[in-house]
Amino acid sequence: MQNTGNLNTLQANGRDDEIERVFRPLPRMVLEANMNPQDLASARKLAEEDFRAYWEQAALDLEWFEKWEQVLDDSQAPRYRWFAGGKCNIVHNALDRHIRTVNRNKLALVWEGEPGDSRKYTYFELYRAVNRLANALRNLGIRKGERIVLYMPPLPETVIAMLAAAKIGAVHVVVFAGFSGKALRERIQATNARCIITADGFYRNGKFTSLKPLVDAALAADEEDNVDVCVVVRRAGIDVNMTAARDIWYDDLVRREANEAETEIMDSNDPLFILHTSGTSGKPRGIIHSHGGYMTGVADTIKSVFDIKPTDFFWCTADAGWITGHSAVVYGPLIAGTTTLMYEGHPLYPQADRMWNMVDKYGVSILYTTPTTIRMLMRYGNRFPAQHDLSSLRLLGTVGEAISPETWVWFHKTIGRNECQLIDTWWQTETGQFMISPLPVSPLKPGSVNKPLPGVSADVVDRKGKPKPTNEVGFLAITKPWPAMFTGVLGDEATYDEYFNTIPGVYFAGDVARKDEDGHFWMLGRADEVLNIAGHRLGAVELEAVLCSHKTVAEAAVIGVPDKIKGETAKAFVVPGPNDQICEDPTTDARDAALTDELRQLLRQELGPVAELRSVVFCESLPKTRSGKILRRVLKAQELGQDIEDITVIDEE
Ligand code: PRX
C-alpha cells in the first residue's frame, strides 16, 4: 500500500482539511445522473423490500430469448440459480442488439498499441469480426460448453475472441499474458481445453515480448493435453515457430468466413467463462460465471455506477486477464453501448504522461484504474497532468485495493479538477459485478467504498455472523445472493461451499472491513493478511496506511513474522518517496535508522503499543501482480525461506 493514511494519522499531520472533507457531487452531476437521488431512494426501497424484484427489473432491461421461470432458484442453496429457465446469450446484449439501433455505427472499441498505433471498431465492425471468428471456431468443431483458453495480451482480438467464444456457447478461459508458461499449462489441463488462442507477442515498456514460445513450451511439456488447435494473432509480424496441423494464423483462419453467425441460445445458468484467481491455499481456483445472472448484474451496476451516457468514452485500464477486464473493459461497456478504450502497454511509456496523453487525445470521459497506478503516476507530480487537456473527464473510478485518502485527494484534484465524482468500487472475481460503491449522486469520503449498491446486501460481522457494532472491525459478509455471483469453482465444490459456510448464512468475502456511523464501508484488506500480535488482530493494510501517511514513505508492505513471545510481530518493507530527507546526515544507514524510529513512533501513536514494528527493510520496489496488488506472500515466503511458485506476474515498475 502507498501513502495511505487513516483519518487520525492525517489529522495528526495537519492535513485533515482535505481528507476529512465529505466531497459532494456537483449539482450538474446529480441532475443528470442515470440514477438521481429520487430514483436511488426508490431503488433502495424496492431492493430492501424485495431484492428479487429489483434484479428482475434489471433483467427486464436486457433482451432474452425466453423469459425465466423463476427469478432466483435457491432450492439448492448455496447453489443459487438466477433467472432459472431463462434463455439468453450475453453477446446478443453486448453486440447483436446494438446493430439494430443507433449504436450500429458508433465506436465500440478503440485500441491503442504501446508504439502509438491504433485500431478502431464500430459496433457493426466488431459484430462482423466476432461473427467471422465464431464461424471459424465452429468450423474447427468447437461446440457449446467446450473451453477455449485465451493467452492474450491486450489486443482487439482478445475482445473478439472472448465474444466469439461466448457467441457459440463455448467457455472462455482468459489467462493473463504476464503469467508463466507453467501457469498456462495448469489452466489448459484444468479446463481440458482443445483450442488455445494466443499472439506472437506484445509491446510493453518499450520492448517486444514474445508469447508464442511460452505456449510452445507449455504444450510440449504436457503430453496429456488435448490441444489440437492453436490460433496465433500476428501482433508484430515476427517469425515464430508454427507447428504444422496444430498452429494457424488468426488472419488465415477467419479470412473466408461469413459475416453473419448464429448466436447460440444458452440457458441462463450455462457457463460463460472460467477465470482463475488466487485463494488462501495458493492454488488458483477456476471461478465460473454464467450468462444470465452475470450479464444482468454487470449491466445494471455499470450503468448506475458509471452513469454511462451515449456520449461517453470509457477507459478501464485493466487487462482482460482479470475480472475487471471481463466486466469493465469488455462486457459491461459493450452491453451499455458505450465506447471502450483498450491500451496495450505500460503507463510510464514512453514517459509518465501516457495516460494523460490518451485521455486528452480521445476525450476520455470516464477513467477507471487502480490505486497503484495512481500512486505510481502521483510520484511524478502535477507537471505531466498539467500539460494535457483533461477536461473531458467527468467520472473517475478505482478498484482492486484500498485507496488512501491522500491518493484519493490527489486523483480527485489533479486529474479530476475537483469536479469529477471519484468512485471507489469494491468487488471481486467471485462477485462478477460491482458490489459496494458510491454512485454519481453520493457524497464521498476519501478512502471509503461508500455503501452496498441497490440490490446488494452487505454487513460487517464476526466469525459467527453477528453484526459488528459501528466502527468495529470485522469480516465483510454479503448477506443475500446477487445476480452476477459465480456459479461454481471448477472441479471443486468444497471450495465453493467454503465461501458460504465459513461464516454461517452469508457469503464470506475474505476481507476485513468496518462500517462507520453513516453506514459507509472502509476496507481494511484481506482477512488472510491480518496479523495477530499478542492476540490482537491488526490488518496489514491498516499498519501500511499509517506508515504511508509519513511524508517520506512512498509505499509500504507489512507482513507478520513469527515471534517467540507474541506469536507474530510486524515487519515492514518500505519504499522511500521523493521527500526522502529526514535527517541532516546523508548516509543511508543514518537515514534508515532515523526513519525506522519515526515509523515506529508513528505506529505506536496511531494504533497503540500493540502495533509494534520489529524491523523495517528499505527497498526500491515491492513485488506486485500486474494488476498492482502487493504480493505480501512473496515477501513472507522470502522472509521464511520458503519457495514461492508462479510469481512471474511481478512487475518491476
Ligand atoms: O480485498 C479486496 C480487494 O480485491 C479483492 C478481490 O480481488 P480480485 O478478485 O482480484 O478482484 C479485484 C477487482 C475487482 C477483494 O477481496 N479489493 C477490490 N476492490 C477493492 C478492494 N479493496 C479495497 N477497496 C476496493 N475498492
Side-chain angles (χ1 to χ4, degrees):
M1 179 182 245
Q2 172 174 357
N3 257 340
T4 302
N6 65 22
L7 289 182
N8 293 338
T9 312
L10 289 151
Q11 280 161 16
N13 288 352
R15 311 229 286 275
D16 52 336
D17 49 335
E18 284 200 304
I19 44 107
E20 219 196 18
R21 223 182 101 188
V22 173
F23 289 72
R24 308 220 163 254
L26 293 188
R28 194 178 63 233
M29 183 102 232
V30 176
L31 213 63
E32 293 172 0
N34 288 344
M35 201 185 253
N36 66 34
Q38 293 76 34
D39 298 336
L40 178 59
S42 44
R44 286 205 196 279
K45 187 162 178 288
L46 169 65
E48 266 156 39
E49 285 164 8
D50 185 351
F51 73 105
R52 288 173 171 83
Y54 176 84
W55 291 116
E56 177 161 44
Q57 204 58 49
L60 287 168
D61 281 348
L62 297 168
E63 290 186 7
W64 294 71
F65 302 132
E66 247 175 70
K67 207 181 157 193
W68 47 91
E69 285 150 18
Q70 211 180 347
V71 175
L72 173 63
D73 174 2
D74 55 4
S75 58
Q76 314 276 324
R79 282 166 190 73
Y80 297 101
R81 295 294 172 250
W82 280 89
F83 310 110
K87 303 283 180 210
C88 60
N89 188 310
I90 194 168
V91 180
H92 176 83
N93 284 288
L95 271 188
D96 303 358
R97 72 184 167 131
H98 294 307
I99 305 311
R100 293 183 267 111
T101 72
V102 286
N103 286 341
R104 181 183 175 94
N105 299 314
K106 175 180 178 173
L107 283 178
L109 172 66
V110 174
W111 170 86
E112 183 163 302
E114 195 185 69
D117 48 339
S118 81
R119 283 158 66 190
K120 297 181 178 175
Y121 291 79
T122 63
Y123 273 91
F124 177 67
E125 288 164 336
L126 189 62
Y127 167 81
R128 283 196 158 178
V130 167
N131 287 345
R132 285 194 291 270
L133 182 61
N135 287 328
L137 294 174
R138 278 196 176 119
N139 288 339
L140 288 170
I142 294 170
R143 296 285 170 262
K144 181 172 173 173
E146 264 193 55
R147 283 91 180 243
I148 302 183
V149 167
L150 312 181
Y151 189 45
M152 296 283 281
L155 291 174
E157 286 80 3
T158 313
V159 179
I160 294 167
M162 288 166 77
L163 295 167
K167 179 145 190 158
I168 66 168
V171 178
H172 58 71
V173 183
V174 183
V175 179
F176 176 52
F179 278 141
S180 63
K182 180 167 168 276
L184 170 67
R185 193 166 79 230
E186 281 168 4
R187 285 155 177 76
I188 292 171
Q189 276 170 352
T191 56
N192 216 8
R194 198 158 65 78
C195 172
I196 163 161
I197 306 182
T198 188
D200 51 1
F202 58 97
Y203 292 94
R204 194 165 166 95
N205 230 345
K207 290 193 295 276
F208 183 76
T209 306
S210 292
L211 207 53
K212 179 65 167 43
L214 295 184
V215 178
D216 291 338
L219 297 180
D222 186 6
E223 278 150 19
E224 285 166 30
D225 79 57
N226 257 337
V227 175
D228 54 24
V229 51
C230 174
V231 181
V232 188
V233 175
R234 213 188 288 268
R235 164 67 180 119
I238 54 156
D239 267 350
V240 298
N241 168 51
M242 296 291 278
T243 301
R246 187 197 68 190
D247 298 352
I248 179 162
W249 289 107
Y250 180 97
D251 289 342
D252 295 337
L253 181 72
V254 299
R255 183 162 296 127
R256 285 186 197 82
E257 294 297 346
N259 286 325
E260 292 297 324
E262 287 265 305
T263 300
E264 196 76 31
I265 296 178
M266 306 299 286
D267 188 272
S268 175
N269 287 285
D270 279 338
L272 164 66
F273 65 83
I274 299 170
L275 186 60
H276 289 84
T277 188
S278 305
T280 39
S281 67
K283 182 174 164 273
R285 5 181 113 158
I287 301 297
I288 305 171
H289 280 282
S290 301
H291 280 257
Y294 177 78
M295 74 177 187
T296 304
V298 169
D300 183 71
T301 54
I302 202 158
K303 201 174 70 194
S304 57
V305 167
F306 282 118
D307 197 42
I308 309 270
K309 303 278 195 270
T311 49
D312 272 321
F313 200 106
F314 187 89
W315 186 13
C316 166
T317 61
D319 187 285
W322 310 106
I323 191 66
T324 315
H326 284 57
S327 303
V329 177
V330 182
Y331 290 113
L334 294 179
I335 294 175
T338 191
T339 304
T340 186
L341 175 63
M342 203 177 183
Y343 170 54
E344 178 186 39
H346 197 284
L348 297 183
Y349 185 84
Q351 57 176 11
D353 72 339
R354 183 59 181 259
M355 279 178 59
W356 318 134
N357 187 326
M358 286 177 63
V359 168
D360 186 348
K361 176 172 169 186
Y362 297 108
V364 171
S365 57
I366 305 172
L367 175 64
Y368 187 33
T369 190
T370 62
T372 295
T373 307
I374 302 163
R375 293 191 301 256
M376 190 168 76
L377 295 169
M378 201 172 128
R379 288 173 84 163
Y380 292 84
N382 299 355
R383 182 167 64 93
F384 283 125
Q387 288 167 5
H388 296 279
D389 179 358
L390 306 180
S391 61
S392 58
L393 288 169
R394 62 181 198 92
L395 268 167
L396 302 173
T398 68
V399 62
E401 53 182 316
I403 182 165
S404 73
E406 286 179 324
T407 310
W408 193 104
V409 165
W410 183 86
F411 195 34
H412 188 261
K413 191 173 181 173
T414 313
I415 307 306
R417 320 175 299 280
N418 273 336
E419 288 184 355
C420 300
Q421 186 75 347
L422 203 173
I423 310 273
D424 179 3
T425 56
W426 180 91
W427 54 299
Q428 303 176 304
T429 307
E430 293 86 342
T431 71
Q433 63 177 64
F434 310 147
M435 300 293 279
I436 308 180
S437 166
L439 287 154
V441 300
S442 310
L444 307 168
K445 294 182 196 173
S448 159
V449 291
N450 214 271
K451 294 184 180 183
L453 290 169
V456 174
S457 300
D459 207 346
V460 176
V461 301
D462 66 15
R463 276 192 190 284
K464 297 204 167 107
K466 194 168 143 245
K468 282 276 192 179
T470 299
N471 277 322
E472 272 194 26
V473 174
F475 299 109
L476 177 69
I478 308 297
T479 54
K480 283 185 192 147
W482 65 100
M485 64 196 303
F486 62 145
T487 51
V489 176
L490 184 66
D492 196 348
E493 298 214 347
T495 296
Y496 179 83
D497 288 343
E498 221 174 77
Y499 287 94
F500 298 92
N501 60 24
T502 300
I503 296 179
V506 300
Y507 167 81
F508 174 65
D511 275 40
V512 179
R514 74 178 166 88
K515 197 167 71 168
D516 71 15
E517 48 291 342
D518 299 319
H520 290 209
F521 285 67
W522 298 76
M523 306 308 304
L524 301 169
R526 297 289 302 183
D528 35 24
E529 284 164 359
V530 167
L531 282 70
N532 193 332
I533 302 177
H536 300 280
R537 188 167 297 162
L538 282 168
V541 178
E542 215 178 332
L543 292 161
E544 290 161 9
V546 175
L547 295 176
C548 286
S549 68
H550 191 284
K551 64 181 186 306
T552 66
V553 174
E555 281 188 294
V558 173
I559 57 166
V561 292
D563 182 272
K564 277 197 192 114
I565 297 170
K566 297 181 175 167
E568 237 183 359
T569 52
K571 174 163 183 164
F573 296 79
V574 164
V575 181
N579 312 323
D580 180 15
Q581 286 165 353
I582 61 155
C583 69
E584 303 286 342
D585 186 338
T587 62
T588 310
D589 284 354
R591 183 210 62 182
D592 287 357
L595 184 50
T596 301
D597 261 351
E598 285 199 15
L599 295 176
R600 281 208 176 106
Q601 274 173 27
L602 186 63
L603 273 178
R604 235 185 135 77
Q605 176 193 318
E606 294 304 319
L607 299 173
V610 63
E612 192 188 311
L613 194 58
R614 185 159 76 187
S615 56
V616 180
V617 174
F618 294 94
C619 42
E620 285 290 303
S621 64
L622 298 173
K624 285 181 197 147
T625 63
R626 269 275 171 75
S627 69
K629 274 194 220 111
I630 294 172
L631 287 161
R632 294 183 190 82
R633 65 197 167 84
V634 173
L635 293 169
K636 195 152 183 162
Q638 278 167 1
E639 186 66 23
L640 304 178
Q642 291 168 345
D643 277 340
I644 187 113
E645 289 186 359
D646 267 336
I647 48 169
T648 58
V649 272
I650 295 175
D651 200 2
E652 283 286 322
E653 300 294 357

